[in-house]
Amino acid sequence: ITGHGSMPGRNLVYIPGSKTLGVSRQIADERERDRLKNIVNRLKPEDAGFIIRTVAENRSEDDLHSDINYLISLWEDIREKYQTQEAPSLLHSDLNVIFRTLRDLFSSDIKKLVVDHKEEYKEIKNFVRSYLPRYGSVVEHYSRRDPIFDHYNIEMEIERALSPKVWLRSGGSLVINQTEALTAIDVNTGRFVGKESHEKTILRTNLEAAEEVVYQLQLRNIGGIIIIDFIDMEENRNQQAVERRMKDAMRNDRARIQIGSISHFGLLEMSRQRLRLSFNESITSVCPHCEGTGRVRSVETAALQMLRVIEEEAMKGAMDELHISMNRDVALYILNHKRDAISALEERFGMHIVILAGDNLIATEHEVERIGWQGKKQRKQDKPASREPKVVEEDSDDEAADAAEDGTEETAEGDDEQPKRRKRGRRGGRGCFCRWRECAAGK
């Protein structure tokens, strides 16, 4: 069996047959690196190596011990299968999405793990008992008739996570606006009117908002630069109390965080590591109407744009009818308010313009159909002939004469409306420089 394999766990990567002990470069604190190395050195077997992953930062010794025991037992199971089973046979495969989720996301903060499928419930319970023996009792089987998402109001929680406004228990609110560069969070008192003084009411709202902000950042997987606009407080000790509440609430956050101080304007700036896609990015897509800006063109400006499009299409060449489909509201606005402009375009270009309503078109989209279109007007064909001399090969005097008799060469004789053209020739076999046809024919 190979000794070059590696098996990933939640906090560690197990390398059998190696003595390597590495720490992820993302863990920059030297004290934390030394602490993790000492724990793993004390727990790991002599004939195995480990690489400590970034998520292991600030993990307890019990968490690392559970991970090491699980990976060692998994490797022993593979070795046993290798010795007992006949080739070819499957010794080990990667975990499915359910077990990978449990391995990477399950934590001591989870009080209950509910499974509504009986067979999967048994498999999950066995996995949790083998991987995290202390938490085997949190797995429960859901046997009610109503759907599990309806019973626990999961859909409502998802809708709340998508909403930009979050209500606090006291009646205040948070307004969360995510952009490409940063996330802005505004704290409002809302309906909260406390019995205490104005300053105490603001302090209570800000303290509750600080805890809720931390929860929403983890729930929505928000990373990058975050600006929080707390309600202005007059006393410095109140600002320090809000800062302490923020830092205490973020102690259990797995992401790397840097928190500043509240400024005189009530703004707190912080940065949070992006662990994965945000909740909005993972389950939503950009609106095709506003393209993510949150604003769409008004009907009036869209109608003016369509009038310019109609004029541009009409200039592309003569046609009997021009059919243009556009958004329904824009089409109605043009027919009711811009009818004179359409009539002027019809008279100017000598065509009939038909405006149609497209149910699937947004305000800035259109479709064009040309009836009897002749393209752009062609130039007249009676332009002068090219002045480049025509080459007459040697011994071709007889062919030139025959062509002249058949009328294939352009001559001065013909329709009076056509301009007279002359044939320019080079010196033939007789050394004549005359440009007349008779001379070129050898006469």
Side-chain angles (χ1 to χ4, degrees):
I1 187 169
T2 179
H4 301 285
S6 61
M7 301 172 59
R10 182 180 183 182
N11 303 302
L12 305 165
V13 177
Y14 178 67
I15 307 175
S18 173
K19 296 184 179 180
T20 302
L21 180 58
V23 184
S24 171
R25 295 179 180 178
Q26 298 295 329
I27 303 177
D29 189 358
E30 290 297 332
R31 292 183 179 180
E32 181 64 19
R33 294 173 67 92
D34 294 338
R35 185 186 74 88
L36 294 174
K37 284 184 179 180
N38 293 332
I39 294 174
V40 176
N41 263 326
R42 188 168 62 254
L43 299 177
K44 78 178 186 69
E46 296 180 356
D47 58 345
F50 287 92
I51 297 177
I52 302 173
R53 302 177 65 180
T54 307
V55 295
E57 188 174 8
N58 298 324
R59 293 291 184 185
S60 64
E61 182 174 343
D62 293 338
D63 293 335
L64 298 177
H65 193 197
S66 299
D67 217 15
I68 291 174
N69 291 338
Y70 169 73
L71 293 173
I72 292 175
S73 63
L74 191 60
W75 176 247
E76 293 297 331
D77 184 57
I78 294 174
R79 290 178 59 88
E80 182 179 354
K81 290 181 180 179
Y82 170 74
Q83 296 174 358
T84 57
Q85 295 185 6
E86 296 182 358
S89 63
L90 178 64
L91 300 180
H92 175 71
S93 63
D94 195 10
L95 300 175
N96 58 29
V97 63
I98 297 176
F99 297 128
R100 288 202 305 270
T101 303
L102 289 174
R103 182 192 69 188
D104 297 337
L105 300 179
F106 189 86
S107 65
S108 58
D109 298 333
I110 297 176
K111 306 301 181 184
K112 184 188 296 185
L113 180 61
V114 184
V115 185
D116 62 348
H117 195 277
K118 191 172 183 179
E119 295 181 358
E120 292 178 353
Y121 160 73
K122 295 179 180 179
E123 295 179 359
I124 291 174
K125 194 172 184 66
N126 294 332
F127 175 80
V128 173
R129 283 177 175 175
S130 62
Y131 184 52
L132 299 168
R134 295 182 300 163
Y135 301 101
S137 59
V138 303
V139 183
E140 297 181 4
H141 179 237
Y142 181 81
S143 58
R144 294 175 178 269
R145 296 188 61 182
D146 53 326
I148 186 172
F149 269 47
D150 294 341
H151 180 75
Y152 290 100
N153 295 325
I154 303 299
E155 292 294 342
M156 185 180 298
E157 293 295 328
I158 294 176
E159 291 298 327
R160 288 182 57 190
L162 290 174
S163 175
K165 193 168 188 177
V166 179
W167 289 101
L168 303 177
R169 293 186 301 273
S170 61
S173 64
L174 303 177
V175 180
I176 303 174
N177 292 319
Q178 291 183 249
T179 64
E180 186 70 23
L182 56 86
T183 300
I185 302 177
D186 185 28
V187 181
N188 299 316
T189 54
R191 300 187 296 263
F192 178 54
V193 179
K195 297 181 180 180
E196 303 90 350
S197 63
H198 184 66
E199 181 72 10
K200 290 184 178 180
T201 301
I202 292 176
L203 176 60
R204 288 185 58 187
T205 304
N206 284 339
L207 291 175
E208 186 179 354
E211 296 180 352
E212 186 65 26
V213 164
V214 175
Y215 173 73
Q216 292 296 328
L217 294 180
Q218 298 177 3
L219 178 65
R220 303 176 185 230
N221 300 326
I222 297 177
I225 299 176
I226 302 163
I227 306 296
I228 306 171
D229 184 11
F230 287 103
I231 306 172
D232 293 341
M233 294 173 287
E234 297 178 358
E235 300 182 10
N236 292 332
R237 63 178 183 178
N238 293 340
Q239 295 181 0
Q240 296 173 1
V242 174
E243 294 173 6
R244 287 195 301 269
R245 184 67 63 89
M246 282 281 298
K247 294 178 181 178
D248 292 341
M250 286 188 169
R251 290 188 185 277
N252 297 325
D253 197 339
R254 295 167 53 191
R256 297 173 59 188
I257 298 171
Q258 292 181 347
I259 304 177
S261 302
I262 299 179
S263 66
H264 297 290
F265 301 101
L267 298 178
L268 184 143
E269 181 180 353
M270 61 174 293
S271 63
R272 184 174 184 269
Q273 179 188 8
R274 293 183 184 271
L275 297 178
R276 51 188 178 275
L277 286 177
S278 67
F279 187 73
N280 285 343
E281 293 174 341
S282 59
I283 69 173
T284 60
S285 58
V286 178
C287 173
H289 299 272
C290 67
E291 297 181 353
T293 62
R295 315 286 288 180
V296 295
R297 275 205 173 192
S298 64
V299 175
E300 293 81 3
T301 56
L304 294 177
Q305 181 187 8
M306 287 299 108
L307 287 176
R308 290 190 288 268
V309 170
I310 293 173
E311 183 178 4
E312 182 181 354
E313 293 292 336
M315 294 177 62
K316 290 185 177 179
M319 65 190 79
D320 298 331
E321 292 184 0
L322 174 63
H323 293 189
I324 180 166
S325 301
M326 62 188 70
N327 178 266
R328 182 179 298 275
D329 295 335
V330 177
L332 290 175
Y333 184 86
I334 291 177
L335 292 175
N336 291 327
H337 300 278
K338 300 295 180 182
R339 195 176 305 171
D340 295 340
I342 297 297
S343 300
L345 291 176
E346 290 179 336
E347 184 178 355
R348 174 183 172 187
F349 294 102
M351 66 178 67
H352 183 55
I353 299 175
V354 180
I355 296 178
L356 304 173
D359 294 332
N360 298 325
L361 298 177
I362 63 176
T364 56
E365 293 180 346
H366 67 278
E367 296 177 355
V368 175
E369 181 182 2
R370 305 177 184 90
I371 307 299
W373 184 45
Q374 300 178 9
K376 291 185 177 180
K377 296 180 180 180
Q378 301 293 332
R379 285 186 170 182
K380 294 183 179 180
Q381 298 297 328
D382 54 354
K383 58 183 179 180
S386 175
R387 294 185 178 181
E388 293 184 1
K390 184 175 181 179
V391 179
V392 180
E393 301 290 344
E394 265 188 309
D395 301 332
S396 62
D397 296 326
D398 296 336
E399 295 177 3
D402 295 339
E405 293 177 1
D406 294 338
T408 56
E409 294 289 336
E410 292 180 319
T411 64
E413 301 174 1
D415 195 355
D416 295 336
E417 296 179 1
Q418 298 290 336
K420 296 181 181 181
R421 300 180 182 180
R422 297 178 179 179
K423 176 181 175 183
R424 174 181 293 179
R426 283 190 175 184
R427 179 171 57 183
R430 300 181 182 178
C432 180
F433 290 89
C434 182
R435 292 178 294 178
W436 293 102
R437 183 191 63 176
E438 291 81 5
C439 184
K443 294 181 181 180

